[in-house]
Amino acid sequence: MQKVFGQSIRIAAVSAFVFLSLPASSDAQQPATSTSRIAGRIIDARTGAGLTDAGVQVAGTTTGTLSSIDGRYVINRAPSGTVSLTVRRIGYAAKTITGISVGEGQALEQNISLEPATVQLTSQVVSAAAERGTINEALNHQRNSSAIVNSVTADQITRSTDSDAAQAVRRVSGVTVQDGKYVFVRGLGERYTTASLNGARIPSPEPERKVVPLDLFPSALLQSITTSKSFTPDQAGDFSGAQVNIKTKEFPAHGMVAYNTTVGVNSLATGKTLIAGPTIGREWLAVAGAARLLPAVVSAAGNFGGVNQSQMNRAVGSFRNAWTPVQNTAAPNLSTGISLGGQQSVFGRSIGYIASGSYANTQEVKVDEHRSLAVPDGKGGTKEFNTFIGSSANRSVLLGGLLNVSTLIGSGTRIELNNTYNRTADNEAKLLEGSLDEFQFPTRRSALGFIERTLRSNQLRIEHAIGSRQQIDLGFTSSGVSRVEPDRSEIEYVREQNPLTGALLPFALFSYNPEGARRTYGDLKETNTSTSADYRLGFGDPANEKILKFGGAFRFTDRTAINTSYSILGYGLTREARQSQAEQIFDGRFTSGNSSVFSVVLNSTGGSYGAQDQVAAGYAMTEIPVGEKVKVITGARIESSELRVNSVSTAGERVRTKLANTDVLPALIANIAMTSSQSLRLSASQTVSRPEYRELSPITYRDVIEQRDIFGNPLLKRALIQNYDARWEMYPNTGEILSLGVFAKRFRNPVERVDVATSGASQLSFVNADAATNYGVEVDLRKRLGWIAEPLEAFTLFTNATVMRSEIDITSDKLSSLTNKKRAMVGQAPFVLNAGMSYASPSGKMTSTLLYNVVGKRITAAGVTPLPDTYELPRSVVDLSIQFPVYGGLSAKVDGRNLLDAQTRVEQGNVTRESYRSGRIFSIGFRVQK
């Protein structure tokens, strides 16, 4: 293992040095005599909005330009050396930026903020370094936003150990991530959080959820992740807990090429012998092998009614003969990526672009895995049912790519085309041993699965400024997702009793029951088309501008999900044959001719559904200054939605469900500037939460992880939510913040996931509660430590904490069977704590960050009498990241993730439903940027 790891490090280092020696991009290879360029944005210091028609001039020369849409400007013939820029715009104080150092033939990015003029136009003079320091992207966005938001930027992500968007977003106050991918905000379940990419809704590749798993997005492709916690009418109305907007990288002002490669180890996996799923063909590229597809002869057999034995045997023999995990030595984790960007002249027009691609191949494990169900013990408590222990392993591949281009037409129109494609594959293997209590036999279960997910998004945005006070934004987005589980195999062996002595046999036998051999095929496809149009008008005194904004949007979603499950019954097998390995039992020796050993049954836990979801919306809102310190934002959104779900069971039963509503969603926000560094935000709004597609489908399906049946409820209603927020913010210095916020939400008809007690193992379903409340307090602190002692100025302490409570109100008879009529909402955690310390050298080239995260005991499913609720217990996570320069443009990064390796644990009453450890992860990476 050390040899493999050592070779990987050497390969990574050599690759980085070789790349460092390659020629730079064409932008960077300008001749020594070429002119230089200065580019950037002019923004309003109070709102963060880009300012058009601002004059930018190189002091002492006639060289200059006007800023265009979004405040962007480019000075193409800037003199080299140290220069000053003077910026002027009506209604704003003029500003001169000094000490701008421009190399011969190079490009420099210089962003500039202007203060609105109040009584008189007083010119300002600042240094270039000071001006760059005042534009801290994350806090600047948070400070100037109309709503209550939190942002994580590319710089913060780079300094952490986070490898994808799901890991990065959990650094935001009140945010937790379940199963490593699903976002919970303020303790609310994933149903109350929406996700968008560059402002457009992302479809979900999950068959049971509309939620988007954020582990689809590699961190290398991210510019920022913004979490909006208060609703404004220009946002989608199913905003309830929060809206998470993932923004992909924008093109740089100058030519850039960057390459990175990383190798890592998992303390419980790398170099060790683990179970694994057999691979086929190009699965290392996240492409399922053709042998995994549903055999044509099985598909043609339908529900196997009227099929003769010869046809039955051909069907059994056509299944891929892979049932048992293989033993492999786990390889190191590997990832690599390349990005290039800049500006090029195409047919005389300047085109900004960035292209990026990334690849990761990682090993995930669950060691000391314990799984069981809970049933009543007859004494008011619970006892374990069908307990299994063992391990799981998953080889995960993540591919990501983007191509974003942008250009200006004149000074008032910007056209932007964003293209993103991500692909993941998980090759899973599971081996568990325990007992089936209903049969009283020791049992061994193994499962193999391959899940392939893709996400595509193509977005065209047009921004057009009409003068300096009007703007029209148009957006057109086409996106699609797929989730293919081409072939999940599950096999079960039992130790039966000797019919003569009653003692357990010393060897395991292939099981007769319907769980003995199962094959499951799943296929989900969803397309999403959306359009939007927004108009913005500024009027009144430019220094105290009033804003009117209105627009509309339309979104259409079409989803098809098919899940087919087969049980292979071997009642004709002899006891001797049942002792054989699964690959021997199904190698064809028992399926020749008219042999009557096997029969195939189409399971009831399958079927398919189609969903068509359309939402049409219009809104109007205003931003009105009241005096010099108060701004009021108010307006309303009208949303008309219609959701149709058509379900077909494996028996051919059809169920049609329709849910249609028109809702008026008002919002009122007041932002009060208490001082130059302190503000108070107040907001009230109403939003909506609609049931997810699968929740409306009454067809029963099998959760292959928990081995439980789940069925939907076609009588579900949409929920209405009233939201109230108040937050005080203080920005004492650049890059520092102290904020204190309170929030409260009132729900009507919230959808809850509940355990439904049956004579055997419990099932899961969904119901509307009558009402619920959610409330809490948030604290956010980021402070450099130089105030303690000057040598500590390089250290920054940051922490955010959220303490929250929720309560379900159940008064109607339909839910009277719930165990706890005043319990917390499903997904609710009582607290979330993020903390950390970072160090940055004076040059900024060496950084280190220590991160801590813990989530309080949270409810994962509500119990039904006599079963109690199910909870996930707190788990502390510590990560460490260190970055440092090596040589020239080569830098290195050393990461340690999950350093405590605390156990994941889920309990129901006194029963441990699930527990496991996943290992410590250590990695070293190299990055070259030119």
Side-chain angles (χ1 to χ4, degrees):
M1 177 269 187
Q2 291 179 341
K3 181 179 179 181
V4 173
F5 186 43
Q7 288 176 342
S8 301
I9 293 179
R10 287 193 291 273
I11 291 172
V14 170
S15 299
F17 277 110
V18 168
F19 194 88
L20 182 64
S21 66
L22 293 177
S25 68
S26 58
D27 277 0
Q29 284 184 328
Q30 298 179 31
T33 58
S34 68
T35 56
S36 305
R37 184 172 72 230
I38 304 175
R41 289 183 68 210
I42 311 299
I43 66 171
D44 185 311
R46 294 187 181 180
T47 67
L51 299 175
T52 60
D53 295 334
V56 187
Q57 185 176 11
V58 179
T61 74
T62 58
T63 302
T65 188
L66 286 175
S67 64
S68 60
I69 185 75
D70 200 31
R72 298 182 181 274
Y73 75 94
V74 179
I75 300 176
N76 284 315
R77 292 182 295 276
S80 58
T82 301
V83 300
S84 299
L85 288 183
T86 299
V87 185
R88 293 182 176 88
R89 189 181 190 273
I90 295 175
Y92 290 83
K95 177 177 282 189
T96 299
I97 314 299
T98 64
I100 301 174
S101 180
V102 185
E104 179 66 33
Q106 294 182 350
L108 175 73
E109 184 170 0
Q110 180 66 58
N111 298 317
I112 302 169
S113 61
L114 297 183
E115 292 283 350
T118 51
V119 179
Q120 60 181 357
L121 298 179
T122 303
S123 180
Q124 296 176 286
V125 178
V126 300
S127 69
E131 182 66 9
R132 282 194 293 270
T134 62
I135 303 176
N136 181 293
E137 186 177 353
L139 295 184
N140 188 60
H141 183 88
Q142 180 173 322
R143 182 176 187 174
N144 297 318
S145 173
S146 297
I148 295 175
V149 304
N150 292 97
S151 294
V152 179
T153 64
D155 179 64
Q156 293 169 289
I157 295 171
T158 301
R159 296 186 182 192
S160 72
T161 62
D162 303 330
S163 61
D164 56 54
Q167 295 177 19
V169 76
R170 63 192 171 102
R171 310 299 179 187
V172 174
S173 59
V175 172
T176 61
V177 176
Q178 190 175 55
D179 299 333
K181 61 185 74 173
Y182 305 119
V183 174
F184 284 43
V185 179
R186 291 174 167 176
L188 298 174
E190 72 268 17
R191 73 174 63 253
Y192 300 110
T193 302
T194 62
S196 58
L197 182 66
N198 298 315
R201 181 66 60 86
I202 310 171
S204 171
E206 299 301 312
E208 297 89 12
R209 301 174 169 100
K210 285 193 299 184
V211 67
V212 177
L214 295 188
D215 63 337
L216 276 171
F217 301 94
S219 60
L221 307 185
L222 306 180
Q223 178 70 26
S224 64
I225 304 175
T226 300
T227 304
S228 300
K229 296 180 179 177
S230 62
F231 170 73
T232 54
D234 55 349
Q235 296 174 310
D238 54 354
F239 176 116
S240 303
Q243 182 186 64
V244 178
N245 183 43
I246 300 169
K247 187 172 178 60
T248 54
K249 287 185 175 179
E250 291 186 347
F251 63 90
H254 52 82
M256 175 273 293
V257 179
Y259 170 76
N260 66 80
T261 183
T262 300
V263 61
V265 299
N266 184 313
S267 63
L268 296 180
T270 309
K272 295 178 170 59
T273 300
L274 302 176
I275 60 172
T279 60
I280 302 173
R282 298 175 296 161
E283 292 178 354
W284 62 276
L285 286 175
V287 179
R292 291 184 182 272
L293 300 179
L294 177 65
V297 64
V298 177
S299 178
N303 63 2
F304 284 86
V307 173
N308 62 40
Q309 188 61 51
S310 178
Q311 293 171 314
M312 189 81 70
N313 288 340
R314 284 199 299 271
V316 174
S318 68
F319 287 113
R320 186 172 68 99
N321 191 20
W323 298 91
T324 310
V326 297
Q327 298 287 324
N328 278 344
T329 300
N333 298 334
L334 297 171
S335 66
T336 188
I338 185 170
S339 300
L340 61 147
Q343 298 188 50
Q344 293 284 347
S345 179
V346 179
F347 300 115
R349 181 171 302 282
S350 179
I351 304 292
Y353 68 93
I354 184 166
S356 183
S358 65
Y359 173 83
N361 192 319
T362 57
Q363 180 73 60
E364 300 169 358
V365 293
K366 293 181 179 179
V367 177
D368 300 330
E369 188 172 5
H370 174 107
R371 290 185 179 275
S372 65
L373 301 177
V375 295
D377 63 1
K379 303 176 183 178
T382 57
K383 64 178 180 180
E384 289 189 345
F385 184 80
N386 291 359
T387 300
F388 285 82
I389 59 174
S391 63
S392 303
N394 174 41
R395 198 71 193 179
S396 180
V397 175
L398 172 60
L399 283 164
L402 67 83
L403 174 62
N404 295 347
V405 296
S406 177
T407 189
L408 294 174
I409 299 177
S411 63
T413 304
R414 183 187 184 206
I415 299 178
E416 184 178 77
L417 181 62
N418 299 318
N419 304 279
T420 303
Y421 180 82
N422 295 327
R423 188 183 195 97
T424 69
D426 295 302
N427 194 354
E428 304 172 324
K430 185 182 296 290
L431 182 60
L432 299 172
E433 295 190 6
S435 63
L436 289 177
D437 292 337
E438 58 263 54
F439 300 110
Q440 301 296 315
F441 294 150
T443 305
R444 182 178 75 243
R445 282 177 170 173
S446 60
L448 302 174
F450 186 89
I451 300 175
E452 178 185 305
R453 300 178 296 176
T454 63
L455 184 148
R456 168 198 56 83
S457 177
N458 307 103
Q459 180 188 65
L460 173 66
R461 293 190 61 84
I462 302 173
E463 302 172 354
H464 177 63
I466 306 172
S468 62
R469 309 192 74 178
Q470 298 182 70
Q471 183 168 324
I472 298 175
D473 295 342
L474 303 175
F476 308 90
T477 302
S478 171
S479 56
V481 296
S482 67
R483 181 187 188 274
V484 180
E485 189 171 11
D487 183 15
R488 171 173 288 273
S489 66
E490 300 168 81
I491 195 82
E492 185 175 278
Y493 278 73
V494 298
R495 290 177 60 196
E496 297 178 351
Q497 291 178 324
N498 187 311
L500 299 177
T501 65
L504 288 174
L505 295 172
F507 44 82
L509 301 171
F510 171 63
S511 176
Y512 277 139
N513 76 67
E515 304 292 334
R518 291 173 65 108
R519 301 305 280 248
T520 303
Y521 298 83
D523 191 5
L524 179 148
K525 289 181 174 61
E526 178 176 319
T527 58
N528 186 298
T529 304
S530 63
T531 62
S532 64
D534 301 276
Y535 172 78
R536 182 184 184 275
L537 171 66
F539 60 95
D541 183 359
N544 211 19
E545 189 176 49
K546 302 177 181 66
I547 296 174
L548 171 65
K549 188 176 181 181
F550 59 85
F554 179 80
R555 184 177 76 250
F556 178 77
T557 302
D558 188 5
R559 167 182 282 204
T560 301
I562 301 172
N563 188 272
T564 310
S565 179
Y566 303 90
S567 287
I568 305 175
L569 306 177
Y571 292 124
L573 289 170
T574 65
R575 182 177 294 275
E576 181 181 5
R578 291 174 60 205
Q579 297 180 43
S580 305
Q581 292 294 319
E583 283 74 16
Q584 294 175 328
I585 293 176
F586 294 100
D587 64 1
R589 67 185 68 182
F590 300 116
T591 56
S592 60
N594 292 318
S595 173
S596 58
V597 171
F598 291 117
S599 61
V600 181
V601 176
L602 184 64
N603 293 315
S604 61
T605 55
S608 64
Y609 73 92
Q612 290 77 43
D613 183 11
Q614 62 182 33
V615 179
Y619 75 92
M621 58 184 290
T622 60
E623 297 183 20
I624 303 175
V626 181
E628 296 182 0
K629 294 184 177 296
V630 179
K631 179 183 288 186
V632 176
I633 300 98
T634 186
R637 185 180 187 91
I638 300 177
E639 281 200 353
S640 177
S641 67
E642 182 177 289
L643 170 60
R644 297 176 182 268
V645 180
N646 300 317
S647 307
V648 182
S649 71
T650 55
E653 178 186 4
R654 295 181 178 271
V655 180
R656 300 180 184 274
T657 304
K658 178 181 176 181
L659 182 65
N661 298 100
T662 298
D663 298 296
V664 178
L665 308 172
L668 175 63
I669 299 173
N671 293 331
I672 305 168
M674 302 171 65
T675 68
S676 60
S677 61
Q678 297 184 54
S679 61
L680 178 66
R681 301 178 186 270
L682 306 171
S683 74
S685 64
Q686 178 164 289
T687 54
V688 66
S689 174
R690 303 180 182 98
E692 297 166 5
Y693 306 142
R694 190 76 187 211
E695 294 172 353
L696 288 166
S697 174
I699 291 177
T700 300
Y701 62 98
R702 171 63 61 92
D703 185 313
V704 296
I705 301 298
E706 296 188 40
Q707 292 293 309
R708 304 176 72 189
D709 291 342
I710 304 175
F711 60 93
N713 179 359
L715 301 179
L716 291 178
K717 305 174 184 178
R718 62 94 169 88
L720 291 174
I721 304 101
Q722 295 176 342
N723 312 277
Y724 304 95
D725 283 271
R727 185 158 79 172
W728 168 79
E729 300 172 349
M730 181 173 70
Y731 300 85
N733 297 295
T734 300
E736 298 181 349
I737 182 177
L738 173 61
S739 70
L740 175 64
V742 295
F743 61 88
K745 296 178 182 293
R746 176 69 177 171
F747 298 77
R748 191 172 72 194
N749 296 322
V751 176
E752 290 283 285
R753 170 173 148 157
V754 297
D755 273 303
V756 180
T758 64
S759 57
S762 64
Q763 296 181 323
L764 290 171
S765 190
F766 308 91
V767 294
N768 284 110
D770 293 286
T773 56
N774 170 259
Y775 53 92
V777 178
E778 291 180 328
V779 178
D780 199 350
L781 170 67
R782 186 178 185 88
K783 179 69 176 175
R784 291 193 299 273
L785 301 184
W787 63 276
I788 299 176
E790 186 174 347
L792 298 179
E793 181 66 19
F795 293 87
T796 300
L797 172 69
F798 52 90
T799 183
N800 59 69
T802 304
V803 178
M804 50 209 158
R805 294 289 184 272
S806 68
E807 189 174 274
I808 283 284
D809 182 7
I810 303 167
T811 56
S812 60
D813 291 337
K814 63 184 178 183
L815 292 178
S816 60
S817 63
L818 285 181
T819 302
N820 184 355
K821 295 187 178 183
K822 293 296 181 182
R823 61 169 173 80
M825 298 177 69
V826 172
Q828 171 71 65
F831 69 88
V832 178
L833 174 64
N834 292 298
M837 178 83 72
S838 66
Y839 166 81
S841 65
S843 66
K845 294 182 178 180
M846 179 175 180
T847 64
S848 63
T849 304
L850 180 67
L851 299 164
Y852 174 78
N853 168 265
V854 64
V855 180
K857 181 180 177 180
R858 59 183 171 186
I859 185 171
T860 59
V864 176
T865 299
L867 291 175
D869 303 326
T870 303
Y871 289 90
E872 181 176 349
L873 302 187
R875 176 175 177 267
S876 294
V877 179
V878 173
D879 300 329
L880 175 65
S881 178
I882 302 173
Q883 299 180 69
F884 52 90
V886 178
Y887 175 76
L890 177 67
S891 61
K893 182 179 180 183
V894 178
D895 289 340
R897 288 174 48 197
N898 193 31
L899 296 179
L900 300 181
D901 193 19
Q903 186 183 57
T904 297
R905 192 177 182 91
V906 177
E907 293 184 348
Q908 186 173 19
N910 57 356
V911 171
T912 299
R913 292 285 307 277
E914 178 183 3
S915 66
Y916 60 86
R917 292 189 303 121
S918 54
R920 300 174 176 87
I921 300 172
F922 303 94
S923 63
I924 181 169
F926 299 94
R927 176 181 173 86
V928 179
Q929 181 166 331
K930 302 187 72 173

